[in-house]
Amino acid sequence: MTTASPKAAERAAITAAAAADPTRRPRPLGGPLAGVRVVDFCWMGVGAIATRMLADFGAEVIRIEDSKRLDLPRRLPINKTAGARAYGDEDADPDPNAGGLFNNFNRNKLGITLNMRDPRGRALCERLISLSSVVTENFAPGVMERWGLVYERIRELTPEPIMARMSGYGHSGPHADFKSYGPVVQAVSGLSHVSGLPGREPSGWGLSYMDNMAAFHNAAALLTAIYHRNLTGRGTEIDVSAVEAGITLLGPVMLEVTVNGRKTRGGSFPTGNRLEHPPMAPHGVYPALGTDRWVAIAVANDAEWLSLLAELGHPEWNDDPRFASQAARHENQDALDALVGRATAGRDRHDLMHRLQQRGVAAAAVQTTEDVCDRDPQLAQAGVFFELDHPVIGPARFEGMPVRFSRLRQDNWRSAPLLGEDNRHVATQVLGLAEDEYRRLVDEGVFG
């Protein structure tokens, strides 16, 4: 028998205490999705964010995790106690319960650790599926097939199920087996090639943007399938491709290429902060007072142009023939941007934002993350961030849903599950195992 390290034993004790805490004990859930049980194999962001939306509104989402192969967001050292590190700087011995991204992605869910390499683990999983109506996964294609958990088998286990499969390229076609992460998806879908500043190399966003965007498509597909089943009684299999979700974001660039034959690189394209359709100018991000401080300004017509000049104290610019009309200003953006940038460089970004907005000009301070989290009064009033307690990291703020309903509320009943926190509950209360049978399966490594 292997003896647990002091750190592992301490973590196990914290998980046991959390599982016994009555304030964290699973309870009947409220919301429009109450009564929907989801067996959730999702990991990373693209899957977990999608099923979080179901959990926020009442679905009983039960995460199936592998204690030997931890979800990457559990391993990243982005949490309240880890200090500042780079996003991809993994901890060699991470506390799987402290990961900030994991805790943000998985609130309101239950979590169990089940050994799917053991036939008894797979049998328990099938039993859980037979008591559920939705199965979700975002593994690389082939993992669910190795376990025999294809849609035909899921249909044998539970009537009219919904099975949502999410991957980079979808589950058919010549690239179906390709591996992918958010930046790869962004490149293949064409987003990277049309992003950045004119004359510069393709640019990314500094994060796996498509994890979030594909997750919203995944959630919409799941909700559509649940609604369809409510109407017809029929389940369905869902195959979501993150690459195809990315293509939907290309927008007018697709028209430029297919209708006008335009190249997506070269000369003045990509346009960066500028806007061609409609031809707005000035339209960009300009320096403000302070180090690395900026303000965004967009002028759409002559009235806004005159308001901008009045606020910046340069009415004489209107006499310059280069700026005599919206079309002329758009044609001479380089010269115009240089003037606007010199005029804004000594102005406080938030003060200028308010003054221009009062004059009817669209303007905004380019906010830092600290501004967004701690200083923006609009976001504070909207309650964008809310607080949940957590057994390991303590009270912490989480991002909410950017949607408010007049008669529905998000059911934030618990922070994310600790690793294996709900093993006993699911085994004994959902699967109906006796306590001694559950203990034996834990000792034999089927749970945990």
Side-chain angles (χ1 to χ4, degrees):
M1 177 180 293
T2 303
T3 302
S5 69
K7 188 178 288 187
E10 179 184 354
R11 291 169 180 167
I14 292 173
T15 299
D21 182 347
T23 66
R24 293 184 61 81
R25 193 165 298 155
R27 60 163 173 75
L29 302 175
L33 297 174
V36 175
R37 177 176 288 151
V38 181
V39 176
D40 184 21
F41 289 97
C42 290
W43 66 334
M44 302 294 289
V46 63
I49 293 172
T51 54
R52 182 182 71 182
M53 294 185 186
L54 306 187
D56 282 348
F57 290 96
E60 183 188 32
V61 179
I62 303 175
R63 287 181 53 88
I64 311 294
E65 294 192 77
D66 184 341
S67 63
K68 307 300 182 188
R69 190 181 183 210
L70 296 178
D71 194 355
L72 180 60
R74 281 196 181 276
R75 306 197 302 268
L76 293 175
I78 305 174
N79 64 64
K80 288 173 59 180
T81 60
R85 291 197 219 179
Y87 178 86
D89 187 8
E90 291 190 42
D91 189 336
D93 184 21
D95 183 339
N97 300 315
L101 282 179
F102 180 87
N103 286 314
N104 193 36
F105 294 161
N106 292 288
R107 63 184 182 231
N108 302 324
K109 301 179 185 177
L110 284 70
I112 68 172
T113 47
L114 198 58
N115 184 355
M116 293 294 287
R117 290 174 287 275
D118 189 307
R120 294 170 297 175
R122 293 197 295 276
L124 286 169
C125 180
E126 290 199 345
R127 190 165 163 183
L128 181 59
I129 290 172
S130 73
L131 299 169
S132 308
S133 64
V134 177
V135 177
T136 58
E137 63 97 3
N138 67 310
F139 294 126
V143 174
M144 296 297 279
E145 283 77 4
R146 285 200 296 275
W147 292 337
L149 294 176
V150 296
Y151 188 59
E152 289 72 19
R153 177 57 180 155
I154 303 294
R155 289 185 67 186
E156 293 173 354
L157 296 170
T158 187
E160 299 299 341
I162 294 166
M163 182 179 187
R165 314 198 68 183
M166 317 167 197
S167 63
Y169 296 81
H171 283 76
S172 62
H175 296 168
D177 294 331
F178 280 17
K179 295 178 65 175
S180 68
Y181 289 96
V184 172
V185 170
Q186 287 147 210
V188 176
S189 64
L191 290 171
S192 298
H193 204 252
V194 300
S195 301
L197 298 173
R200 299 288 300 273
E201 66 276 11
S203 175
W205 290 275
L207 76 161
S208 292
Y209 178 71
M210 279 312 302
D211 269 18
N212 296 66
M213 295 309 302
F216 301 143
H217 286 76
N218 294 336
L222 278 160
L223 293 172
T224 302
I226 291 171
Y227 185 70
H228 177 260
R229 185 171 61 188
N230 290 345
L231 291 177
T232 67
R234 301 185 64 186
T236 189
E237 185 177 17
I238 299 167
D239 185 5
V240 176
S241 158
V243 168
E244 294 175 37
I247 290 171
T248 68
L249 301 175
L250 288 174
V253 174
M254 289 287 285
L255 282 174
E256 285 278 28
V257 172
T258 57
V259 176
N260 298 327
R262 188 174 183 177
K263 302 296 184 185
T264 53
R265 277 235 158 233
S268 60
F269 202 83
T271 60
N273 291 314
R274 293 177 173 176
L275 183 66
E276 294 181 321
H277 306 293
M280 299 173 70
H283 185 285
V285 172
Y286 303 92
L289 182 65
T291 302
D292 198 20
R293 293 293 180 261
W294 308 85
V295 61
I297 298 173
V299 173
N301 53 49
D302 289 343
E304 294 174 8
W305 166 246
L306 294 175
S307 295
L308 174 70
L309 300 190
E311 179 56 42
L312 296 182
H314 288 286
E316 74 279 7
W317 292 355
N318 198 45
D319 299 326
D320 190 324
R322 295 176 300 171
F323 313 134
S325 66
Q326 189 70 12
R329 291 190 287 276
H330 190 265
E331 184 68 23
N332 295 285
Q333 286 185 84
D334 289 342
L336 179 58
D337 282 349
L339 289 174
V340 173
R342 282 197 290 273
T344 61
R347 304 287 295 270
D348 177 82
R349 60 198 166 119
H350 282 101
D351 179 68
L352 184 55
M353 171 183 76
H354 287 294
R355 290 178 179 275
L356 286 173
Q357 287 284 355
Q358 288 170 359
R359 292 179 182 271
V361 178
V366 176
Q367 299 206 110
T368 65
T369 302
E370 291 81 0
D371 294 328
V372 170
C373 292
D374 301 325
R375 302 179 189 124
D376 189 304
Q378 173 68 23
L379 300 179
Q381 184 276 332
V384 169
F385 303 102
F386 65 95
E387 188 172 285
L388 286 173
D389 200 3
H390 187 279
V392 173
I393 65 174
R397 290 200 301 172
F398 298 87
E399 64 188 27
M401 283 280 288
V403 178
R404 274 157 287 285
F405 302 91
S406 64
R407 294 184 176 180
L408 302 178
R409 288 195 180 279
Q410 192 172 319
D411 188 3
N412 294 315
W413 66 278
R414 195 181 77 175
S415 54
L418 307 189
L419 188 64
E421 178 177 348
D422 299 299
N423 283 353
R424 172 177 279 106
H425 170 81
V426 172
T428 61
Q429 303 302 309
V430 179
L431 296 175
L433 302 183
E435 177 66 21
D436 60 346
E437 184 179 9
Y438 164 66
R439 287 304 322 166
R440 179 176 57 77
L441 291 170
V442 171
D443 293 341
E444 294 176 357
V446 178
F447 282 103

